[in-house]
Amino acid sequence: MIEFILAKYNYWIYIVLMMIGFYAIIVKENLIKKIIGINIFQTAVFLFYISIAKVKGGTAPIIWEKAGPYDNPLPHVLILTGIVVSVSTTAVALALIIKIYKAYGSIEEDKILEMKEETVPLSIKGSKKNSEHLTSDSMLYTDE
Amino acid sequence: MIDIILLLFLVICGFVAVAMNDLLSTTIILGAYSLIMAIVWTRLNAVDVAFTEASVGAGITTVLIIAALSRTQRMEAQILAGGRSKKYEKYKVKRLLLLMVILVTGGILMYGTIDMPAFGNPNDPANLHVVPRYIKKTYEETGVVNFVTAILANYRGYDTLGETSVIFTAGLSVILLLRRKK
Amino acid sequence: MKEHIVVRTVCSILIPFIQLFALYVVANGESSPGGGFQGGVILGASIILYAIVFGMKSGRKRVSERLSDLLISAGVLIYAGVGLLAIFAGGAYLEYGALPLGTKKLASHLGIYGIEIGVAITVAAVMITIFFETARHEDD
């Protein structure tokens, strides 16, 4: 039993980290909190991949005369790419949040949704005449 | 032992970062979280990944979030707990349901780990597929000492080309969204 | 932060060394941890530090909008160009071993250098651009 826990406890900690990130993504209303949640979620997944690559007694994957077995370098490569993509998505998301703040004056999701409901009643959504009042349109073209 | 302490630090940092009300403090704690993550990766011998996380996660991401905060608002709006408003009741029900979703997801994933190979097992399927070939042939085929660089740039060059295009596209999107006209 | 003399002095001493380290990380990526991506991020961070300490406008004087826009595309073009050169030399796309640069081993070594430099240029320019566009401008 203790052996089983020792072999698996790190995976459980990664899952706990992932749950913390997931909580921030779906429960919190603040958009920047959501971005932080996405970051925590992503690092938890990365950590899971990297720990798969560890080999008992292995050394870092750089050729060295006295090295024993090497750790698996392939997950490292994949996660390197993953980190790059994560910083790109964060940057684009932050740019979108700045635009949303300019259009609505708030970064709280519930308030933004309330404002949207006031401006666009559901019944006339999609009719061409009213589409020019759509706030999402004005959001894209506003220029200060 | 030190690994358990570092992992617990990670959980505490993540929890505090999500629970805090002040977004600036949250961002700084996220930077600390990334730095501890880089240390954990160094302990797992993933030196390239740790280097990237220390420069990107703890450096650039923190700066970018603070830059975005400087143009939005610093504090997260609080739904008042004292007032028994209808909105608060609704929020409480929603939070309870979502917490259940999160717990069920976590539970299923934990159930899945029972079948995972043990940590550090050299005969784990992930270590047996193409990796032995990379380790044997890298030096004679590419002349590069660092396996990660060799796989990244040579064996998986298309991946890295795609990655560079992703960064390029992100740069273009930010320019399109935020640049002012002269 | 223009009025803090300590911060300004320390940064003006440190920034050249940060940039030197970034170039070392790019150049030494094949024999130690590091590579194009990490080096590019550090190079971008040094310019970001300069802009935070000395102000956005003097930062933009060092790296103008035009220059950083050009560099963003130049990096991807260098990467894709090395791949195309391999086709003209008779190999497959991105097969550096086919480049006519001495032995096959040396050619693939140099090809890896080429694409690392391309990645570093794009990453550094994108990080600088994202920071300048996201941060608050002085006339905001």
Side-chain angles (χ1 to χ4, degrees), chain B residues 130-151:
Chain B
V130 283
V131 177
R133 188 196 174 277
Y134 286 156
I135 287 177
K136 217 159 77 190
K137 295 266 188 156
T138 293
Y139 188 67
E140 58 184 86
E141 283 182 352
T142 62
V144 169
V145 180
N146 186 348
F147 291 117
V148 176
T149 307
I151 297 174

Side-chain angles (χ1 to χ4, degrees), chain B residues 10-178:
Chain B
L10 274 183
V11 173
I12 292 167
C13 279
F15 185 79
V16 173
V18 171
M20 270 233 178
N21 203 17
D22 183 346
L23 291 172
L24 190 60
S25 322
T26 296
T27 314
I28 302 297
I29 292 169
L30 192 75
Y33 172 91
S34 293
L35 203 60
I36 297 169
M37 189 63 95
I39 297 171
V40 171
W41 280 336
T42 317
R43 297 267 316 156
L44 288 169
N45 280 342
V47 276
D48 280 276
V49 185
F51 197 166
T52 316
E53 178 69 21
S55 57
V56 172
I60 295 286
T61 308
T62 313
V63 172
L64 289 184
I65 297 180
I66 291 175
L69 282 179
S70 76
R71 288 175 80 175
T72 55
Q73 60 196 38
R74 179 174 165 180
M75 303 303 271
E76 184 185 0
Q78 218 39 10
I79 295 163
L80 281 175
R84 298 228 135 258
S85 63
K86 209 174 167 189
K87 200 177 158 196
Y88 182 64
E89 295 292 326
K90 216 172 133 189
Y91 175 72
K92 255 167 65 181
V93 174
K94 183 187 153 200
R95 195 172 60 180
L96 204 69
L97 283 174
L98 291 178
L99 260 178
M100 267 163 63
V101 170
I102 292 164
L103 287 177
V104 168
T105 315
I108 291 171
L109 285 172
M110 288 205 186
Y111 176 70
T113 59
I114 293 174
D115 291 333
M116 290 275 301
F119 175 68
N121 178 5
N123 294 321
D124 165 345
N127 296 335
L128 292 180
H129 183 45
V130 283
V131 177
R133 188 196 174 277
Y134 286 156
I135 287 177
K136 217 159 77 190
K137 295 266 188 156
T138 293
Y139 188 67
E140 58 184 86
E141 283 182 352
T142 62
V144 169
V145 180
N146 186 348
F147 291 117
V148 176
T149 307
I151 297 174
L152 190 82
N154 202 331
Y155 294 112
R156 292 183 176 241
Y158 282 104
D159 268 21
T160 313
L161 181 59
E163 170 202 328
T164 316
S165 323
V166 167
I167 305 175
F168 174 71
T169 318
L172 281 192
S173 321
V174 171
I175 290 175
L176 284 175
L177 281 168
L178 294 179

